[in-house]
Amino acid sequence: MSNKTKIRWALLFLLPLLFLFSQAQADDDDSDDPRLALVVGNSAYTHVTPLDNPKNDAVLMAESLEAVGFDVMLVTDASRDELTRAIADFGRKLRDADDDATGLFYYAGHGVQSFGANFLLPVDVNLSDAADLSLVAVPAQALLRQMFSARNQTNIVILDACRDNPFEAIPDLNENGLAEMKAPRGTFLAYSTGPGEVALDGVGANSPFTGSLARRMSAPGVPIETLFKNVRRDVLEATNGVQTPWDTSSMTANFQFVPAVMPSPAEIQERQLWETVKLSKDPIQVMLYLRANPESRFAGEARSLLQDLVSSEMQETASTSEPEVPAQAPVSVDPSDTERELIEAARQAGTAEAYKDYLDTFPDGHFSELARLELQTIEQNEPRTDPISEPVVPVAPEPEVTAGDASGALPDVVAFNTPLGTGDPDLATRSISDLISASPRFPPIEGLPEAAWKDKTCASCHQWEQANLCTQAQTYMNDQTRALTKEHPFGGVFKQLLRIWAEGGCQ
């Protein structure tokens, strides 16, 4: 078995596994599971230094979370009573949700630490003694207890606090930043800066940390750990290395703000086919691929590869030829927009005149070899006006029926291992399985050198096996006018027989 065949069958084997993986991924990040968030932004402090951005940050974060499926409670410039009540309501909603719910708490504003405990500061905080801190501020641990009491699978806490310490002059409250907290099981804790460090409020409308998080949150398929690692890089760059975001996790489930979009089976098959053709590095295979798949998302890559392969073969031919040929002007690395438009118009029209127009304008263009092959094919056969889509080109008339059914009528049933029973004697006495390993009786493409097809098996070019040939034959079931009227290296009747075989289930 060739390497290309092995790759093809490996990809076919992986298709159901990829489908199962996409289902598992969808189950793991089920968008139907409740997502609840409490977002708090405190800017308008009355007794300590007010902050410019926390309210803006909270509004931005609320919008970003709603966009990825969260039911958001937004609280800005909250007093102690308002902040305590919001946290209690959030904990109640989270407990009322099912076990698969995701809870998220975001806080932007002043925050301080005292004896290893962190406190969130409401806008009405007024403090003159460290002993009163727990009476006028909200312990971060109270928020963690509310979330942990819900026993849900995933909780996320994001603290864009510790812009500075407003109580530096008070004894026992002169530590900067927040202390690192232990994450209860199933919790992801993210800080805008490292333990004991000060975060920047930012020079724009938002802090560097929240701005980066909001931009990156909507990227599909990014695990939360990777997301915050990317945010860390952004903040380091934005602050010239001054601020380093921090996170700690005890999560047991995978979480993505936006689940990955898995390719459909059709997209996987499309890529599989192109990868097989690309690995062949055969200009004929690439050309046939373009003919059969002119609108493929890989068509641009295929055209570039075809040009490279044709140019390489021309250089090899020139280097081994005895007569010296005047050097041609160098071809630009990339075709111009005009050249692309002209070859695309010719390909869509599929007429000799259209390809002549291209060759008259670009006789040594990037697609000149392809255009000459197409033109040669068209001139040997009836002109066509529809876009090219069938990879096999008519090259010879159908031989007269001299064996099998004397009337030339097609059989009702065709089996893979049974003689076909119609067509010329060579065709009528052989089965489809015999023909897979047979050689064409004339070139599949007019003008193709004999070395490329003479005494070669059809399977070596088309990857013909029963399953793959069945897929090709099924296309003839829905195309009664174009594909079935074109000639074939085994005769036009062979396509009719393949259609009958496919209608019978490719048995």
Side-chain angles (χ1 to χ4, degrees), residues 111-166:
V112 297
Q113 62 167 304
S114 177
F115 297 102
N118 293 322
F119 292 85
L120 311 178
L121 303 188
V123 293
D124 60 350
V125 65
N126 191 8
L127 185 69
S128 58
D129 194 296
D132 297 332
L133 182 60
S134 61
L135 303 178
V136 296
V138 176
Q141 197 64 35
L143 178 277
L144 291 178
R145 279 197 297 270
Q146 287 287 331
M147 300 179 80
F148 186 68
S149 69
R151 306 295 179 185
N152 55 309
Q153 190 175 37
T154 302
N155 285 311
I156 303 165
V157 177
I158 304 171
L159 301 177
D160 192 356
C162 52
R163 263 97 166 160
D164 56 38
N165 182 2

Side-chain angles (χ1 to χ4, degrees), residues 18-357:
L18 288 170
F19 176 76
L20 291 175
F21 172 77
S22 66
Q23 290 299 106
Q25 190 76 3
D27 292 342
D28 203 25
D29 292 304
D30 195 340
S31 58
D32 293 333
D33 292 339
R35 291 181 164 196
L36 308 175
L38 171 59
V39 176
V40 179
N42 286 343
S43 286
Y45 288 92
T46 55
H47 300 291
V48 298
T49 307
L51 297 170
D52 293 331
N53 286 339
K55 185 176 179 178
N56 298 336
D57 291 336
V59 171
L60 175 62
M61 187 54 53
E63 293 172 350
S64 301
L65 289 169
E66 286 176 346
V68 296
F70 277 85
D71 179 8
V72 179
M73 299 168 53
L74 174 62
V75 179
T76 58
D77 293 333
S79 66
R80 187 181 190 280
D81 288 344
E82 290 170 338
L83 182 54
T84 301
R85 185 164 52 250
I87 291 174
D89 290 343
F90 176 59
R92 190 175 304 109
K93 288 182 66 174
L94 202 55
R95 286 189 292 273
D96 290 341
D98 59 41
D99 294 342
D100 292 328
T102 296
L104 185 146
F105 176 75
Y106 170 90
Y107 175 81
H110 276 305
V112 297
Q113 62 167 304
S114 177
F115 297 102
N118 293 322
F119 292 85
L120 311 178
L121 303 188
V123 293
D124 60 350
V125 65
N126 191 8
L127 185 69
S128 58
D129 194 296
D132 297 332
L133 182 60
S134 61
L135 303 178
V136 296
V138 176
Q141 197 64 35
L143 178 277
L144 291 178
R145 279 197 297 270
Q146 287 287 331
M147 300 179 80
F148 186 68
S149 69
R151 306 295 179 185
N152 55 309
Q153 190 175 37
T154 302
N155 285 311
I156 303 165
V157 177
I158 304 171
L159 301 177
D160 192 356
C162 52
R163 263 97 166 160
D164 56 38
N165 182 2
F167 304 128
E168 253 184 337
I170 297 176
D172 297 328
L173 278 180
N174 54 6
E175 293 183 86
N176 284 326
L178 297 179
E180 184 173 5
M181 298 183 291
K182 290 185 178 180
R185 185 178 66 250
T187 304
F188 187 92
L189 285 171
Y191 308 84
S192 59
T193 192
E197 300 292 334
V198 176
L200 302 181
D201 198 33
V203 295
N206 299 105
S207 76
F209 176 77
T210 295
S212 172
L213 179 56
R215 287 193 304 272
R216 289 187 173 276
M217 186 178 292
S218 60
V222 180
I224 188 171
E225 297 84 359
T226 302
L227 171 66
F228 278 92
K229 186 181 295 182
N230 294 334
V231 170
R232 185 178 302 125
R233 293 194 187 100
D234 290 346
V235 174
L236 282 167
E237 181 178 356
T239 64
N240 294 318
V242 172
Q243 180 177 333
T244 305
W246 202 265
D247 57 66
T248 182
S249 174
S250 63
M251 291 181 65
T252 57
N254 297 324
F255 181 82
Q256 301 168 358
F257 281 99
V258 179
V261 179
M262 297 302 296
S264 66
E267 290 172 329
I268 294 173
Q269 289 177 333
E270 182 185 15
R271 176 172 288 279
Q272 167 205 340
L273 175 60
W274 167 236
E275 291 296 336
T276 302
V277 171
K278 184 168 69 171
L279 285 173
S280 73
K281 294 186 178 179
D282 181 351
I284 299 301
Q285 293 244 27
V286 178
M287 185 180 68
L288 294 177
Y289 172 84
L290 280 170
R291 287 177 141 187
N293 305 276
E295 304 302 328
S296 167
R297 58 197 171 114
F298 304 109
E301 185 181 355
R303 293 188 188 100
S304 297
L305 177 60
L306 179 61
Q307 179 61 32
D308 291 343
L309 293 172
V310 170
S311 299
S312 177
E313 288 195 0
M314 291 178 63
Q315 291 174 1
E316 290 179 6
T317 302
S319 65
T320 56
S321 301
E322 292 183 5
E324 292 193 7
V325 180
Q328 295 182 347
V331 179
S332 61
V333 175
D334 295 314
S336 66
D337 291 341
T338 302
E339 183 179 358
R340 289 186 185 278
E341 291 171 2
L342 202 54
I343 191 63
E344 183 66 15
R347 188 188 61 75
Q348 291 291 339
T351 63
E353 291 75 12
Y355 282 106
K356 287 177 181 178
D357 287 343

Side-chain angles (χ1 to χ4, degrees), residues 352 355-356 359 370-380:
Y355 282 106
K356 287 177 181 178
L359 290 171
L370 174 62
R372 289 189 180 93
L373 282 171
E374 295 286 0
L375 181 59
Q376 187 177 37
T377 298
I378 293 169
E379 289 176 343
Q380 292 294 325

